[in-house]
Amino acid sequence: MLKKILFVLAALILVFVVVVALQPSEFHVERTATVDTPAAAVFAEVNDFHKWDAWSPWAKLDPNAKVTFEGPEAGEGTVMTWAGNSEVGAGKMTLVESRPDELVKIRLDFTEPFEGTSGSEFVFKPEGDKTAVTWSMSDHHNFMERAVCLVMNGKKMVGDQMEKGLANLKSVVESKS
């Protein structure tokens, strides 16, 4: 009986390993929202890390997180570091490319609870007097990260937070116009 249990357990582990190995190593999540303001107004909120506290979904998960800023006030070279609870962890965001009213690219360096680096970008596309804002995150996952992402449904978790963030950003920007 014990041999049968061990055999079934080994088979389940093997199936899990195969399923994880077949998962793509490239991770990409993207969400878009339309904001009822010109691109310049939305760009200004994203291009300045000091303004993220008003709309970032992760800032809401730990309002007591320790946040510091380095470099210029906004735009390329701006750095924000954070250290918070287990929901937000710790890390650093560096704004690596900024094209007014078009694009903001960010490098995310996570230090807790796991070390890793991801890229995130915001693309602003004018649609008349409105702006389509697309927020995306991309990463390359090793075997363990693919396993965690599969078990935790990482794309859904990140996508849900992006949707909240875009809704918050829309609310903040539209209330100022």
Side-chain angles (χ1 to χ4, degrees):
M1 183 64 169
L2 182 60
K3 283 185 180 182
K4 286 183 182 181
I5 292 172
L6 291 175
F7 178 76
V8 169
L9 185 60
L12 289 173
I13 291 171
L14 180 62
V15 167
F16 179 73
V17 167
V18 169
V19 169
V20 170
L22 292 174
Q23 297 299 305
S25 58
E26 296 308 314
F27 176 85
H28 183 82
V29 180
E30 183 175 295
R31 297 292 187 271
T32 301
T34 300
V35 180
D36 295 331
T37 60
V42 188
F43 174 83
E45 294 296 319
V46 177
N47 195 54
D48 183 348
F49 289 160
H50 296 90
K51 296 181 178 181
W52 280 49
D53 192 52
W55 60 267
S56 169
W58 288 280
K60 310 292 183 226
L61 291 174
D62 185 3
N64 297 317
K66 182 181 179 209
V67 176
T68 59
F69 300 95
E70 302 170 32
E73 191 73 18
E76 287 183 33
T78 299
V79 175
M80 181 180 92
T81 58
W82 76 91
N85 63 23
S86 61
E87 291 189 80
V88 298
K92 177 172 80 169
M93 290 193 327
T94 306
L95 205 149
V96 295
E97 186 176 349
S98 176
R99 292 194 306 239
D101 309 340
E102 292 179 20
L103 174 77
V104 170
K105 279 190 179 181
I106 300 163
R107 176 186 164 114
L108 293 152
D109 295 299
F110 301 100
T111 56
E112 290 179 17
F114 301 104
E115 289 189 11
T117 300
S118 294
S120 185
E121 68 178 43
F122 291 81
V123 175
F124 310 94
K125 183 180 176 193
E127 294 180 344
D129 60 347
K130 300 178 182 185
T131 305
V133 181
T134 301
W135 185 2
S136 64
M137 181 180 278
S138 300
D139 195 1
H140 181 84
H141 284 171
N142 63 31
F143 181 84
M144 285 303 294
E145 290 167 329
R146 284 183 278 172
V148 169
C149 195
L150 180 66
V151 171
M152 304 285 292
N153 199 354
K155 283 188 175 185
K156 181 178 179 345
M157 285 175 43
V158 171
D160 288 351
Q161 292 300 321
M162 290 171 128
E163 287 173 9
K164 287 179 188 174
L166 287 169
N168 293 343
L169 179 61
K170 177 180 171 70
S171 177
V172 166
V173 174
E174 288 177 358
S175 72
K176 291 182 177 182
S177 63

